[in-house]
Amino acid sequence: MSLTISHRCQSIAPSLTLKIDANAKEMKARGLDVVSFGAGEPDFPTPAHIREAAKEAIDMGLTRYTPAAGTKELRKAICEKLRVENDMTYSYGDIIVSNGAKHSLFTLMQAILDPGDEVLIPTPCWISYPEMVRMAGGVPVYVPSTEENNFIPTNRDIASRVTRRTKAIIITSPSNPNGSVWSREQLEFVAELAITHPFYVISDEIYEKLIYDGQKHLSIANLGEEIKAQTFIVNGVSKSYAMTGWRIGYVAGPRNVIKAMTNYQSHASSNANSIAQYAALKAISGDQSCVNEMVAEFERRRNAMCERINSIEGVSCKKPQGAFYIMLNIKELLGRSYNGRVLEGSMDFAELLLAEKQVALVPGVAFEAEGYCRLSYASSMENIMKGLDRIEEFIQGLE
Ligand code: PMP
Ligand code: GLU
């Protein structure tokens, strides 16, 4: 037997979003003046009352294993949140808590996919979905969209990708990387299709609270008991409460699958960190004014950033409705060159911009969105303006 890496693992590319973020942080640590639009994480500190709860948990000795699916207290608090904020009834047996929503999604794919099962993924999409589907033996089936349609695929395009192997669709609203929010009508169409076929709906609602212009989040599971019974709501505390490093995510959904996920998790990782679970309990059931403050600041930055981008010759963007990302359209710049290097695509743009102007962003190619780059505005207003000035200078330097 030779000392090889499994075929399954050989084909997995590292997460480019995490890699770019790590590179930018490392360059900063070396003293370089890097402006990072790469990170998909709030720049605010975790609110004080949540940090205090974690300290309390340590002092109370909450340092032991909890049930694999998470403490009953936290799962009950999640049900209460879903009842009060989303008008949906779940009981704690319908919930599993994991090490971040990424882990929730991973375990969910393991629980529902058999080899060859297809998962519809509207694109541009978050980088980890296709890899997670493949890791579970499934087949990602992309459903493309256009900027004109706010990066949401048309009903016809969605329906045309459905086959007898379709097992699930992933809906991310608000979306990463586009910040798009699905309308009630769009969700109704997916719900009807999913019920008729039938297939599962994976509703990634991690950016639920980061929604602007007075809009309110709508979950597809809200559309009726029938669709709720085949939908998984994936959420967590990373984005809403500036808790990316704490690693708490959860899934609410059909109990038989939640049970299967719990069995899987009980061998793969056991419970999520007990201290972080206690902190998440405080985040979810405590004072929510910290969220409103962060959302107001994100909205202010989004407005300023969109306006500034659209004042730069050669690039443009649409105003997103949620999350903290903007898709920068760089199509007009492709084919031009900087110091002799031709911009063939978004990867060249991102690499050159980092090397020449110390600005980090994520190339659209990472999200199945060639011709675009993703900018995160989870960064101070001062940094945003500094970074955009540098992008303008870079563009002016193109031949
Ligand atoms: N879903 C989406 C769309 C995301 O952008 C992220 C970003 N990390 C996650 C899930 C996972 O979040 P976390 O694991 O930090 O809870
Ligand atoms: N979701 C964030 C992003 O897209 C964080 C990095 C990751 O988990 O991929 O940048």
Side-chain angles (χ1 to χ4, degrees), residues 15 17-18 40 102 126 176 207 239 325 374:
S15 162
T17 43
L18 288 182
K102 191 180 266 184
W126 181 42
N176 175 8
Y207 296 100
K239 316 288 175 173
Y325 306 109
R374 188 193 78 175

Side-chain angles (χ1 to χ4, degrees), residues 58-129:
I58 295 174
D59 291 339
M60 285 192 298
L62 301 179
T63 51
R64 300 190 179 276
Y65 291 133
T66 75
T71 64
K72 208 190 242 189
E73 234 184 334
L74 176 56
R75 284 181 289 153
K76 282 187 164 174
I78 291 166
C79 294
E80 187 58 9
K81 175 249 178 260
L82 288 164
R83 189 184 67 77
V84 174
E85 294 182 3
N86 308 92
D87 194 22
M88 283 185 289
T89 309
Y90 288 93
S91 63
Y92 74 88
D94 308 326
I95 313 286
I96 179 170
V97 175
S98 307
N99 300 297
K102 191 180 266 184
H103 183 217
S104 305
L105 285 159
F106 177 86
T107 310
L108 175 56
M109 305 288 184
Q110 295 291 326
I112 61 172
L113 298 182
D114 278 316
D117 284 352
E118 296 174 359
V119 179
L120 302 182
I121 306 181
T123 61
C125 66
W126 181 42
I127 193 164
S128 293
Y129 296 143

